[in-house]
Amino acid sequence: MDELGIGLIGTGFMGRAHALAFRSAGAVFELPVRLHLAALADADAQRGEHCAGAWGFAQAHRDWQDLIADPRVNLVAITTPNHLHFPMAMAALAAGKAVYCEKPLAVSVEQARQMHHAAQAAGVVTRVGYNYQHNPVIAQARDMIGNGELGQLVSFQGEFSEDFMADPDAPWSWRCEPQHAGGALADLGSHLLAMARFLMGPVQAVCADTQTVHLQRPTEAGSQERRAIAVDDQAHALLRFANGARGTLSSSWIKHGYKNHLSFEISGTLGTLAYDQERLNELRLYRVGQKGFQRLLAGPALPGYAAFSPAPGHQLGYNELKTLEVHELIMALCGQGRDGTDFAEAWEVERLAAAIRTAAAEQRWVAL
Amino acid sequence: MDELGIGLIGTGFMGRAHALAFRSAGAVFELPVRLHLAALADADAQRGEHCAGAWGFAQAHRDWQDLIADPRVNLVAITTPNHLHFPMAMAALAAGKAVYCEKPLAVSVEQARQMHHAAQAAGVVTRVGYNYQHNPVIAQARDMIGNGELGQLVSFQGEFSEDFMADPDAPWSWRCEPQHAGGALADLGSHLLAMARFLMGPVQAVCADTQTVHLQRPTEAGSQERRAIAVDDQAHALLRFANGARGTLSSSWIKHGYKNHLSFEISGTLGTLAYDQERLNELRLYRVGQKGFQRLLAGPALPGYAAFSPAPGHQLGYNELKTLEVHELIMALCGQGRDGTDFAEAWEVERLAAAIRTAAAEQRWVAL
Amino acid sequence: MDELGIGLIGTGFMGRAHALAFRSAGAVFELPVRLHLAALADADAQRGEHCAGAWGFAQAHRDWQDLIADPRVNLVAITTPNHLHFPMAMAALAAGKAVYCEKPLAVSVEQARQMHHAAQAAGVVTRVGYNYQHNPVIAQARDMIGNGELGQLVSFQGEFSEDFMADPDAPWSWRCEPQHAGGALADLGSHLLAMARFLMGPVQAVCADTQTVHLQRPTEAGSQERRAIAVDDQAHALLRFANGARGTLSSSWIKHGYKNHLSFEISGTLGTLAYDQERLNELRLYRVGQKGFQRLLAGPALPGYAAFSPAPGHQLGYNELKTLEVHELIMALCGQGRDGTDFAEAWEVERLAAAIRTAAAEQRWVAL
Amino acid sequence: MDELGIGLIGTGFMGRAHALAFRSAGAVFELPVRLHLAALADADAQRGEHCAGAWGFAQAHRDWQDLIADPRVNLVAITTPNHLHFPMAMAALAAGKAVYCEKPLAVSVEQARQMHHAAQAAGVVTRVGYNYQHNPVIAQARDMIGNGELGQLVSFQGEFSEDFMADPDAPWSWRCEPQHAGGALADLGSHLLAMARFLMGPVQAVCADTQTVHLQRPTEAGSQERRAIAVDDQAHALLRFANGARGTLSSSWIKHGYKNHLSFEISGTLGTLAYDQERLNELRLYRVGQKGFQRLLAGPALPGYAAFSPAPGHQLGYNELKTLEVHELIMALCGQGRDGTDFAEAWEVERLAAAIRTAAAEQRWVAL
């Protein structure tokens, strides 16, 4: 394969993030294949044309089915609202195309299970956009854990909090609908669950508590009319990992002051490691024998960083994590991939989130 | 009452901390009564004499019963190992003396209940040494919450972690015995539970998970002989507060890198407040309308601080929190007290800790 | 003008950073003109071809003069070693092309003066790559200052320290040559001087002290042979600004622990503002009436940020500052520019750096 | 000597700080001598009596001369306004008493010189209250420097900023008078100069810039009448140390947001050390081979800390630095002292401050 044809469905924020990543990947990395931005799809034909022009795609389709059928498209990237992931991914898999789907994989565990099985059957490369895992400092964290630098893992404290729904007058949106995978746990917490599994491995049992604090929200910004809300504003959980470690998880979209606070502390018998996505180029590390926590700034010694800058302290941004994700995906498509988050793994994340919801609903421990 | 006679039982680290606080209180504050360091008690007569001399106590008793019986002693301060709190406090209450007991109140809920009832019956002032509550920034936090500055409380994330038992070769001590109120939850977590109740009010239900990571420890430092350990190295819990807030608690004495990490984040509908005992002169505060978290340094506008320094940023130390605790106690003895942590409140803390232990043992939610 | 032809000279780290920025600009921003990556130039023809392919340039020239002469090139971007900026920029100006030159503008004040005058005579748009100024939080800082939110400016403390030359065995390179604008002051300090002028305005007088700590360095990595070093390892200065403010400047490339520590504190009669390039998405701000410093995270309310992400806390990286710089440049080329750092301004930065060198050499205050 | 008689002149904030320190020293430390709080002096007899009672002094003198003459007084502690240090210390020295004088030593270099010579002639122990040096983390810093752990010292960046005069309506006080050692440099900067000498050794040359920003202030709080101000609001300087290191100093009492910001960074060929008095229980340390800065919390391994607490992270307060200072003083009086800041050293600090004033006034480098 000399050239890889990219087809992008969706032109919102995440659509553009994908486009930027595909545009940059070839200049940042030495890729084993040339990328061809073959097509994008948007139901709004005018917007589709405009974005294709601005973002460098060869063609715009109005109908996503046409994009999937397009023979120049080898890889289908899906960045549409959550409830569309299932039909689009299933169609792409049926067409034998590789699929790169935004998170969450689906809006139900059952959908996720079917997608996972369809991907297995199709035998194609799949990836789901848990892009925070591609941060070089997270790769470093995983390597350190894998190398035993923290010893036997003992605890995990994780939190993903933001405050974009903290205002009780923040209006209803599809994110407030369970059938669209709404709520703090699904919207934010799933990133944290994926991260927990990425770094700590499987979870064996959970107990949890979820809560809707603002029971009604305006139907739209400024409206007097209010609509009942059925999804969680915050979720808390206890986690038991298969490796024996224990821990807690918190996820909230109403915690004032936080903007992107995906954070964790992982402790083992030889040290402690801490991370906060609001400072995504840093780790805090303590190892036995040190006098105190070290602040580690990202630098070219870390996996992936050097492709962006030869000097430490020059920092990567959120969008560049997407470029790293695309790179990993392309390497996988060329048979040189590492262990990316594929549909099988994303299904496990959905199972875990579902177990947390069950534990909260039934107020009991749930085994996985 | 012109003069208040102080009797101190115990001359270890906490005994000296009490002595320092009683020595300083009269110079730091304008007290309504003169303090007389009447007596201390130590089973080691020589040490008792030495400490009495160095710390300014008029007399040393070898037998703590003699100290309680001493007519010049109005207030009995108990700083002995945990299992002695019960007999000493019960005797002091029986003698009609005020009691100032180090935390934890007792080594079982039943003991704590009896002490609480005995204090009620005696009608004397009692206090338990949860000195972190007397930190001016904690008083500020409580005032802010009470004034509604955070709005309706929504969440609490609390952690008290240290690493003094992180080394698997840290030897057995009485802190490793359940019957001495040992383990991370009792030793550290109880401070956090007291703090949670102080700031958030009562807890209605808990679910929890506790774990002994290092199942054996040397019988003493350097020994090859090992002894089975029955107490928790770490505890995690979900909390439901009576005010509707939800949250998590973690307590560990094996979390590398932390030395005094009693920390919490309290979030409400109008803001978020955060604290870490490793920087005890600071709060982090975000309120609706701010652009980001503020760092608040302690200063003379806060309750108690001005007695130590007229200037902000000059910082109080751990021992000075004890002086503030002694001040509050003396004011209470003079009928001018605020709501200190008395035996009734300390018993509630013990009940809460016991509920967490039950929840962990039975792997289910426990209501209080 | 429908299309703007970009010609890029140099394919090193900065060349690629330019390429990435030009590739991304059209997808990140709605540009008033289409960008055409017309040509790049590299003396190594094979590397030129390779980069042109990977980065999406239509053609590669071996000879930079051919690139300047190329009629499809409207804008010449210069990313070669410092001593080549002069001949290349002068040639481009002579050809009536717009010029985008990496910092420093030149290797002597005299060169810089000529380049400034040539640009004036040519009447074209010029820009110099002081990309840190395009950081949205820096734009915010400048706006705040301009709006008087800090009151009358009183002080500036600035530092740019890194440690890439801290090892005495870090070898000689062209950065160690005065005639290549080497040394900590020229290499790092010039960024800080540009920033100081950008935020504070002109400097009227300086006094300074420079020092070469490691007087000899290996001729190349690992070599036993050593070469005398004539440039400064660290520079310190006192600054008097035209607006009345006073301050200090430090620049070092041997200060252990720092990787990209361009930092400053600006204080006025109404507040204080602080920044550290090692956390480039944050400001620390104190304004009269606040209780403490606020941490401001970059977000979509800031100039330029929203083009990258609709959500706060998602962070931009170093390379994305370059995209912002390219955007500003293109807007200027389309007649919609703000006050970018052109050759006139870059010449002022060089004059200021030269005054600091004179002050240090003659151990006296020097007026500008 | 079995007993050391303490005489304290002054009952303001610093007087009480001394009293607290003398009261605590014997309980915190095992002292080689018993302390007797023999007498205090206050011109207000009623206040003198009250303080003597509350602070435990045996007697109150109305006349400080009587206190100096009191045969039970061996050590005279001077905590009065700056202009009284000279007559009181000279009288105490003339009487052969040891002297413990608050900083600054005097209100002129000439006075300081005379006091230094008088102390030499008297042959008694003297100490000046630069208490920040007695912070265990500062002792650690000094030890590290002395042990060569930072290598050859290269740079010093020091700042002492507060904001208590930032409000232009903060009224005139004696601190605004040059003849009372007023101004930011004398009031705050002298602490920093003492610290610089304590850690870095002598300064050989300085260049400086001082500025009065608010040229008039109300005669008293709320007054419409304004008075011209002759002292500096901020001072900046370049420093050349005898050991070859170079650096900067800033001192301001109008820098918004800072409350006690005595901070420094010391860099050597093997590492960098940083400190901020607003977090007085911490150091930041980077040494060659580390991945990033470590945060070191004070703990019992540091000189002096263990006397206050057996556990790390329990933090000392400002007043406890005074107890450490008193301890060092008493050990010196018992012939077991280390190198405290005596009159000879305090005179050097005054000389250095005077050189900075001269350098600023004459806008030139001044050698010491």
Side-chain angles (χ1 to χ4, degrees):
Chain A
M1 182 170 58
D2 271 3
E3 189 173 270
L4 182 75
I6 312 295
L8 170 65
I9 312 180
T11 63
F13 161 52
M14 283 312 300
R16 197 182 53 168
H18 279 227
L20 281 167
F22 283 114
R23 285 177 70 81
S24 295
V28 171
F29 296 96
E30 294 289 331
L31 298 180
V33 66
R34 194 168 54 250
L35 303 187
H36 173 57
L37 305 188
L40 60 70
D42 195 299
D44 175 340
Q46 199 175 346
R47 173 156 181 85
E49 288 299 333
H50 174 79
C51 291
W55 305 352
F57 281 78
Q59 189 182 354
H61 294 286
R62 192 168 185 168
D63 195 329
W64 58 265
Q65 284 93 342
D66 292 344
L67 180 140
I68 287 172
D70 189 330
R72 287 158 310 176
V73 169
N74 307 112
L75 167 69
V76 177
I78 303 173
T79 69
T80 49
N82 297 343
H83 69 286
L84 296 174
H85 294 180
F86 178 76
M88 291 170 171
M90 292 300 276
L93 292 170
K97 306 283 169 100
V99 185
Y100 173 29
C101 184
E102 264 314 300
K103 54 80 32 187
L105 181 55
V107 297
S108 73
V109 181
E110 175 51 25
Q111 279 187 353
R113 193 189 57 78
Q114 290 183 41
M115 292 162 84
H116 156 46
H117 288 158
Q120 269 189 314
V124 297
V125 169
T126 57
R127 285 294 183 271
V128 181
Y130 288 107
N131 51 311
Y132 297 159
Q133 297 172 11
H134 299 280
N135 186 338
V137 307
I138 297 298
Q140 178 186 30
R142 198 186 198 206
D143 288 348
M144 289 179 57
I145 289 169
N147 297 339
E149 295 183 44
L150 298 185
Q152 172 201 336
L153 297 183
V154 166
S155 68
F156 174 90
Q157 270 89 30
E159 176 172 354
F160 196 172
S161 292
E162 300 196 357
D163 66 3
F164 66 96
M165 296 297 275
D167 182 350
D169 290 331
W172 174 93
S173 77
W174 63 261
R175 287 178 201 270
C176 298
E177 294 297 327
Q179 62 271 32
H180 288 170
L185 178 62
D187 195 44
L188 301 180
S190 61
H191 267 298
L192 183 57
L193 293 172
M195 187 68 85
R197 283 182 52 87
F198 187 67
L199 295 172
M200 302 285 295
V203 173
Q204 277 187 332
V206 297
C207 190
D209 202 18
T210 60
Q211 187 185 28
T212 309
V213 171
H214 301 298
L215 297 166
Q216 293 191 323
R217 292 186 179 274
T219 51
E220 55 189 345
S223 168
Q224 294 303 314
E225 198 185 342
R226 299 183 87 81
R227 189 164 165 168
I229 300 297
V231 296
D232 58 298
D233 285 323
Q234 62 177 349
H236 299 99
L238 301 177
L239 306 176
R240 292 188 152 205
F241 291 89
N243 62 14
R246 310 291 173 88
T248 61
L249 169 144
S250 296
S251 185
S252 171
W253 63 17
I254 61 165
K255 193 165 176 189
H256 279 294
Y258 289 106
K259 307 305 175 190
N260 193 9
H261 186 46
L262 188 165
S263 63
F264 58 78
E265 292 198 357
I266 292 172
S267 187
T269 52
L270 295 178
T272 298
L273 191 63
Y275 173 76
D276 179 356
Q277 178 82 8
E278 291 191 356
R279 286 173 170 166
L280 69 83
N281 290 277
E282 302 182 18
L283 286 180
R284 271 192 322 122
L285 172 67
Y286 178 89
R287 293 191 61 210
V288 167
Q290 282 181 203
K291 291 179 175 171
F293 275 93
Q294 278 188 37
R295 179 172 80 119
L296 278 60
L297 284 180
L302 303 193
Y305 180 100
F308 293 90
S309 172
H314 281 65
Q315 294 155 78
L316 304 188
Y318 169 86
N319 286 307
E320 293 172 316
L321 305 188
K322 218 69 197 168
T323 306
L324 283 156
E325 185 171 75
V326 159
H327 176 241
E328 192 279 331
L329 161 61
I330 291 164
M331 296 307 280
L333 283 163
C334 296
Q336 303 169 37
R338 295 202 313 168
D339 49 347
T341 298
D342 58 13
F343 279 21
E345 171 60 17
W347 169 65
E348 294 282 3
V349 172
E350 296 303 321
R351 278 184 68 217
L352 178 51
I356 289 175
R357 269 188 290 270
T358 301
E362 304 180 3
Q363 291 284 293
R364 64 173 178 87
W365 283 87
V366 172
L368 281 119
Chain B
M1 183 169 57
D2 271 3
E3 190 173 88
L4 183 75
I6 311 295
L8 170 66
I9 312 181
T11 62
F13 162 51
M14 283 312 300
R16 196 180 56 167
H18 279 228
L20 281 168
F22 283 114
R23 284 176 71 84
S24 296
V28 171
F29 296 97
E30 294 289 330
L31 297 180
V33 66
R34 194 167 55 250
L35 303 186
H36 173 58
L37 305 189
L40 59 70
D42 195 298
D44 176 338
Q46 200 175 345
R47 174 157 179 83
E49 287 299 333
H50 176 78
C51 292
W55 303 354
F57 281 78
Q59 191 183 353
H61 295 287
R62 194 168 183 168
D63 194 329
W64 58 265
Q65 283 94 342
D66 292 344
L67 180 140
I68 288 173
D70 189 330
R72 287 158 309 176
V73 168
N74 307 113
L75 168 69
V76 177
I78 302 172
T79 68
T80 49
N82 297 344
H83 69 287
L84 296 175
H85 294 180
F86 179 74
M88 291 171 173
M90 292 301 275
L93 292 171
K97 306 282 169 98
V99 184
Y100 173 29
C101 184
E102 264 313 300
K103 54 78 36 185
L105 182 55
V107 297
S108 73
V109 181
E110 175 51 25
Q111 279 187 353
R113 192 190 58 75
Q114 290 182 41
M115 292 163 84
H116 156 46
H117 287 158
Q120 268 188 317
V124 297
V125 168
T126 57
R127 285 296 183 272
V128 181
Y130 286 108
N131 51 310
Y132 296 158
Q133 296 172 11
H134 299 281
N135 185 339
V137 307
I138 297 298
Q140 179 188 27
R142 198 186 198 205
D143 288 348
M144 289 180 57
I145 289 169
N147 298 338
E149 294 182 45
L150 299 185
Q152 173 200 335
L153 297 184
V154 166
S155 68
F156 175 90
Q157 271 90 29
E159 177 173 354
F160 196 172
S161 293
E162 300 196 358
D163 66 3
F164 65 97
M165 297 297 277
D167 182 348
D169 290 331
W172 174 92
S173 76
W174 62 262
R175 288 177 201 271
C176 298
E177 294 297 326
Q179 63 270 33
H180 287 171
L185 178 62
D187 195 44
L188 301 180
S190 62
H191 266 298
L192 183 57
L193 294 173
M195 187 69 86
R197 283 182 52 87
F198 187 68
L199 295 172
M200 301 286 293
V203 173
Q204 278 185 333
V206 297
C207 190
D209 203 16
T210 60
Q211 188 185 27
T212 309
V213 171
H214 301 299
L215 297 166
Q216 292 191 322
R217 290 185 180 275
T219 52
E220 55 189 346
S223 168
Q224 293 303 315
E225 198 186 341
R226 299 182 88 83
R227 191 163 166 169
I229 301 296
V231 296
D232 57 297
D233 284 324
Q234 61 177 351
H236 299 98
L238 301 177
L239 306 177
R240 293 188 150 205
F241 291 89
N243 63 13
R246 310 291 175 88
T248 61
L249 170 142
S250 296
S251 186
S252 172
W253 62 16
I254 59 165
K255 194 165 175 190
H256 279 295
Y258 289 107
K259 307 305 175 190
N260 192 9
H261 185 46
L262 188 165
S263 63
F264 58 79
E265 293 199 357
I266 292 172
S267 187
T269 52
L270 295 177
T272 298
L273 191 63
Y275 174 76
D276 179 356
Q277 178 81 10
E278 291 191 354
R279 286 174 171 167
L280 68 84
N281 289 277
E282 302 182 17
L283 285 180
R284 271 192 321 122
L285 172 67
Y286 177 90
R287 293 193 59 210
V288 167
Q290 281 181 204
K291 290 178 177 171
F293 275 93
Q294 279 188 37
R295 179 172 79 121
L296 278 59
L297 284 181
L302 303 193
Y305 180 100
F308 293 90
S309 171
H314 281 64
Q315 294 156 76
L316 304 188
Y318 169 86
N319 286 306
E320 293 172 317
L321 305 188
K322 218 69 196 168
T323 305
L324 283 156
E325 185 170 76
V326 159
H327 177 241
E328 193 276 333
L329 161 61
I330 291 164
M331 297 306 280
L333 282 163
C334 296
Q336 303 169 36
R338 295 203 314 170
D339 49 347
T341 298
D342 56 13
F343 280 20
E345 172 60 17
W347 169 63
E348 295 282 3
V349 172
E350 296 303 321
R351 279 184 66 216
L352 179 50
I356 290 174
R357 270 188 289 269
T358 301
E362 304 180 3
Q363 291 283 295
R364 62 172 179 88
W365 282 87
V366 172
L368 281 121
Chain C
M1 183 171 58
D2 271 2
E3 191 172 88
L4 183 75
I6 312 295
L8 170 66
I9 312 181
T11 63
F13 162 51
M14 283 311 300
R16 196 181 54 167
H18 279 228
L20 280 168
F22 283 114
R23 284 176 71 83
S24 295
V28 172
F29 296 97
E30 294 289 331
L31 297 181
V33 66
R34 195 167 54 250
L35 302 187
H36 173 58
L37 305 189
L40 59 71
D42 196 299
D44 175 339
Q46 198 176 346
R47 173 156 180 84
E49 287 299 334
H50 175 79
C51 292
W55 304 353
F57 281 79
Q59 190 183 352
H61 295 286
R62 193 169 184 166
D63 194 327
W64 58 264
Q65 284 95 341
D66 293 345
L67 180 140
I68 288 173
D70 189 330
R72 287 158 310 176
V73 168
N74 307 112
L75 168 70
V76 177
I78 302 172
T79 68
T80 49
N82 297 343
H83 69 287
L84 296 173
H85 295 180
F86 179 76
M88 290 171 172
M90 293 300 275
L93 292 170
K97 306 280 169 104
V99 184
Y100 173 29
C101 184
E102 265 313 300
K103 52 81 34 185
L105 182 54
V107 297
S108 73
V109 181
E110 175 52 24
Q111 279 188 352
R113 194 189 58 76
Q114 290 183 42
M115 292 162 84
H116 156 46
H117 288 159
Q120 268 189 317
V124 297
V125 169
T126 57
R127 286 295 183 270
V128 181
Y130 287 108
N131 52 311
Y132 297 159
Q133 297 172 11
H134 299 281
N135 185 338
V137 308
I138 297 298
Q140 178 187 30
R142 198 186 199 206
D143 288 348
M144 289 179 56
I145 290 169
N147 298 339
E149 295 182 45
L150 299 186
Q152 172 201 336
L153 297 184
V154 166
S155 68
F156 175 90
Q157 270 90 28
E159 177 172 353
F160 196 172
S161 292
E162 300 196 357
D163 66 4
F164 65 97
M165 296 296 276
D167 182 350
D169 290 331
W172 174 92
S173 76
W174 62 261
R175 288 178 200 271
C176 298
E177 294 297 326
Q179 63 271 32
H180 287 171
L185 177 62
D187 194 45
L188 302 180
S190 62
H191 266 298
L192 183 57
L193 294 173
M195 187 68 86
R197 283 182 52 89
F198 186 67
L199 295 172
M200 302 284 295
V203 174
Q204 278 186 333
V206 297
C207 190
D209 203 17
T210 59
Q211 187 184 26
T212 309
V213 170
H214 301 298
L215 297 166
Q216 293 190 322
R217 291 185 179 274
T219 52
E220 55 189 345
S223 168
Q224 294 302 314
E225 198 186 342
R226 299 182 87 83
R227 188 163 167 168
I229 301 296
V231 296
D232 58 298
D233 285 323
Q234 61 177 349
H236 299 98
L238 301 176
L239 307 175
R240 293 187 150 206
F241 292 89
N243 63 14
R246 310 292 174 88
T248 61
L249 170 143
S250 296
S251 186
S252 172
W253 62 18
I254 60 165
K255 193 164 175 191
H256 280 293
Y258 289 106
K259 306 305 175 190
N260 192 8
H261 186 47
L262 188 165
S263 64
F264 57 79
E265 293 199 358
I266 291 172
S267 187
T269 52
L270 295 178
T272 298
L273 192 63
Y275 173 76
D276 180 356
Q277 178 81 8
E278 291 191 355
R279 287 173 170 166
L280 69 83
N281 289 277
E282 302 182 16
L283 285 180
R284 270 192 324 122
L285 173 67
Y286 177 90
R287 293 192 60 210
V288 167
Q290 280 181 204
K291 290 178 177 172
F293 275 94
Q294 278 188 38
R295 180 172 78 121
L296 277 61
L297 284 181
L302 302 193
Y305 180 100
F308 293 89
S309 171
H314 281 64
Q315 294 155 77
L316 305 188
Y318 169 87
N319 286 307
E320 293 173 316
L321 305 188
K322 218 69 196 168
T323 305
L324 284 157
E325 186 171 75
V326 159
H327 176 241
E328 193 277 331
L329 161 61
I330 291 164
M331 297 308 281
L333 282 164
C334 296
Q336 303 169 39
R338 295 202 314 167
D339 49 348
T341 298
D342 58 12
F343 280 20
E345 172 60 16
W347 169 64
E348 294 282 2
V349 172
E350 297 302 322
R351 278 185 66 219
L352 178 50
I356 289 174
R357 270 188 289 270
T358 301
E362 303 180 4
Q363 291 284 293
R364 63 172 180 87
W365 283 86
V366 171
L368 280 121
Chain D
M1 182 171 60
D2 270 4
E3 190 174 270
L4 183 75
I6 312 296
L8 171 66
I9 311 180
T11 63
F13 161 52
M14 283 312 300
R16 196 180 55 168
H18 279 227
L20 281 168
F22 282 115
R23 284 176 71 83
S24 296
V28 172
F29 295 96
E30 295 288 330
L31 297 181
V33 65
R34 194 167 55 249
L35 303 187
H36 172 57
L37 305 188
L40 60 68
D42 195 298
D44 176 339
Q46 200 175 345
R47 175 158 179 82
E49 288 298 333
H50 175 79
C51 291
W55 303 353
F57 281 78
Q59 191 184 351
H61 295 288
R62 193 167 183 167
D63 195 328
W64 58 266
Q65 284 93 342
D66 293 344
L67 181 139
I68 288 172
D70 189 330
R72 286 158 310 177
V73 169
N74 308 113
L75 168 70
V76 177
I78 302 171
T79 69
T80 50
N82 296 345
H83 69 286
L84 296 174
H85 294 180
F86 179 75
M88 290 170 172
M90 292 300 275
L93 292 171
K97 305 283 169 100
V99 184
Y100 173 30
C101 184
E102 265 312 302
K103 53 78 40 183
L105 181 55
V107 297
S108 73
V109 181
E110 175 52 25
Q111 278 187 353
R113 194 190 56 76
Q114 290 183 40
M115 292 162 84
H116 156 45
H117 288 160
Q120 268 188 315
V124 297
V125 169
T126 58
R127 285 294 182 272
V128 181
Y130 287 107
N131 51 310
Y132 296 158
Q133 297 173 11
H134 299 281
N135 185 339
V137 306
I138 297 298
Q140 179 187 28
R142 198 186 199 207
D143 288 348
M144 289 179 56
I145 289 169
N147 298 339
E149 295 183 44
L150 298 185
Q152 172 201 336
L153 297 183
V154 166
S155 69
F156 174 90
Q157 271 89 29
E159 176 172 354
F160 195 172
S161 292
E162 300 197 356
D163 66 3
F164 65 96
M165 297 297 277
D167 182 349
D169 290 333
W172 175 92
S173 76
W174 63 260
R175 287 177 201 271
C176 298
E177 295 297 327
Q179 63 271 35
H180 286 170
L185 177 62
D187 194 44
L188 300 180
S190 62
H191 266 299
L192 183 56
L193 294 173
M195 187 68 86
R197 283 182 52 88
F198 186 67
L199 295 172
M200 301 284 295
V203 173
Q204 277 186 332
V206 297
C207 190
D209 203 15
T210 60
Q211 187 184 29
T212 309
V213 170
H214 301 298
L215 296 166
Q216 292 191 322
R217 291 185 179 274
T219 52
E220 55 189 344
S223 169
Q224 293 302 315
E225 198 185 341
R226 298 183 88 83
R227 190 163 167 168
I229 301 296
V231 297
D232 58 298
D233 285 323
Q234 62 177 348
H236 299 98
L238 301 177
L239 307 176
R240 293 188 150 205
F241 291 89
N243 63 13
R246 310 292 175 87
T248 61
L249 170 144
S250 296
S251 185
S252 172
W253 61 17
I254 60 165
K255 193 164 175 191
H256 280 295
Y258 289 106
K259 307 305 174 190
N260 192 10
H261 185 47
L262 188 165
S263 63
F264 57 79
E265 292 198 358
I266 292 172
S267 188
T269 51
L270 295 178
T272 298
L273 191 63
Y275 173 76
D276 179 355
Q277 178 80 10
E278 291 192 354
R279 287 173 170 166
L280 69 83
N281 289 278
E282 302 182 16
L283 286 179
R284 271 193 321 122
L285 173 67
Y286 178 89
R287 294 191 61 209
V288 167
Q290 282 180 204
K291 291 179 176 171
F293 274 94
Q294 279 189 35
R295 180 173 78 120
L296 277 60
L297 284 181
L302 303 193
Y305 180 100
F308 293 89
S309 171
H314 280 64
Q315 292 155 78
L316 304 189
Y318 169 86
N319 286 306
E320 293 173 316
L321 305 189
K322 218 69 196 169
T323 305
L324 284 157
E325 185 171 75
V326 159
H327 176 242
E328 192 277 333
L329 162 61
I330 291 164
M331 297 307 280
L333 282 164
C334 296
Q336 304 169 38
R338 296 202 312 169
D339 50 347
T341 299
D342 58 12
F343 280 21
E345 171 61 16
W347 169 65
E348 294 282 3
V349 172
E350 296 303 321
R351 279 183 67 217
L352 177 52
I356 289 175
R357 269 188 290 270
T358 300
E362 303 180 5
Q363 291 284 293
R364 62 174 178 86
W365 282 87
V366 172
L368 280 121

